[in-house]
Amino acid sequence: DSLSRLFTRCGSVQSVDICDKPEPGEKKEKLTSKFFNRKTVTGFRVAYVVFRKPAGVQAAKALSREGPLLISTESHPVKTGVSKWIASYAASVVDPEELKAEVDAYMQDYDKKIAEEEAKAAKEEGVPDEEGWVKVTRKGRKPGLPRTEAANLRVLEREKQKRARKELLNFYAWQHRETKREHIAQLRKKFEEDKQRIALMRAQRKFRPY
């Protein structure tokens, strides 16, 4: 607003675009969201002032002879210092109702876009183009299901996989316990056999431990 007001003396200003750095090309689409995709840029930035008529550019070039242009004046002061900090903090406080309205509007546009894409994909399904190629659209194993039902099927599939993994782990644990139990039984059996052999050797006076 301040730049537009300054350069209005040169001619009617069509737009003022502020960028992080000099960049060629067409003007980028401005962000319409008040809450998202916001980033704070520190340091210098570049402004592109677009006049409605070419004469405005020539008049702007001649401004350098008139001395510096003042953005903050008594009639149009620019907030600085504590006043700027207070204004920045007040602007950072989010209005829940306004945020909800923006999110709802975005989701409505998104759902409308998805519905149009699905309708277009369903219309083009199985229809060959001019060269005879058939376009294969991305659909799930159960096409035509609402998103909520498809989501429920995915949840059920994940639960089924979890149960299968749990049963497999339980089987491995049971198998490990059985193997350990068999090993202990074999150790006990060998221990009893050794006891009997030692007793027999003592009876025959052939036992020499040293």
Side-chain angles (χ1 to χ4, degrees), residues 9 43 54 59 76 132 163 167 171 179 183 200:
R9 70 182 72 179
H76 297 89
R163 286 197 301 269
E167 290 175 359
F171 172 76
T179 303
H183 181 65
L200 180 61

Side-chain angles (χ1 to χ4, degrees), residues 1-173:
D1 294 338
S2 298
L3 292 175
S4 179
R5 186 183 70 252
L6 285 178
F7 286 98
T8 299
R9 70 182 72 179
C10 303
S12 179
V13 176
Q14 179 176 333
S15 63
V16 177
D17 299 317
I18 300 179
C19 304
D20 300 343
K21 57 183 179 180
E23 51 189 18
E26 298 293 331
K27 179 178 66 176
K28 295 182 179 180
E29 184 179 356
K30 293 184 178 179
L31 298 176
T32 57
S33 176
K34 185 179 178 181
F35 306 100
F36 303 100
N37 298 324
R38 297 172 61 184
K39 62 177 182 178
T40 303
V41 179
T42 57
F44 292 98
R45 284 186 285 178
V46 178
Y48 292 92
V49 181
V50 181
F51 294 94
R52 295 188 182 278
K53 297 182 179 180
V57 179
Q58 301 301 326
K61 291 180 179 179
L63 288 177
S64 59
R65 308 188 192 101
E66 301 179 6
L69 302 178
L70 301 179
I71 293 181
S72 182
T73 60
E74 293 183 0
S75 58
H76 297 89
V78 176
K79 293 181 179 180
T80 58
V82 177
S83 300
K84 180 181 178 181
W85 295 341
I86 294 175
S88 299
Y89 175 77
S92 66
V93 178
V94 177
D95 183 4
E97 296 297 330
E98 192 174 359
L99 175 61
K100 182 178 182 302
E102 179 174 329
V103 172
D104 291 342
Y106 176 84
M107 292 306 302
Q108 289 178 1
D109 293 340
Y110 177 79
D111 291 338
K112 181 179 178 182
K113 181 181 177 181
I114 294 298
E116 292 175 353
E117 292 179 354
E118 291 178 351
K120 183 180 178 181
K123 186 177 180 181
E124 296 177 353
E125 180 74 17
V127 180
D129 57 10
E130 297 177 355
E131 299 180 356
W133 293 95
V134 177
K135 182 178 180 181
V136 180
T137 57
R138 292 182 60 187
K139 287 188 176 181
R141 296 182 179 178
K142 301 182 183 302
L145 293 176
R147 281 182 295 172
T148 54
E149 189 173 350
N152 292 336
L153 289 175
R154 287 195 297 271
V155 172
L156 292 176
E157 185 65 24
R158 285 197 295 268
E159 292 295 331
K160 184 178 179 182
Q161 294 176 358
K162 287 182 180 179
R163 286 197 301 269
R165 285 196 298 268
K166 187 175 180 181
E167 290 175 359
L168 186 61
L169 291 175
N170 291 337
F171 172 76
Y172 286 150

Side-chain angles (χ1 to χ4, degrees), residues 184-203 206-208:
I184 293 175
Q186 291 178 0
L187 290 177
R188 288 177 177 173
K189 181 179 179 181
K190 189 175 182 301
F191 178 72
E192 292 296 331
E193 291 176 351
D194 291 342
K195 282 176 61 178
Q196 293 178 5
R197 187 165 56 253
I198 291 173
L200 180 61
M201 293 176 67
R202 279 179 175 173
K206 294 182 180 179
F207 180 66
R208 298 185 180 89

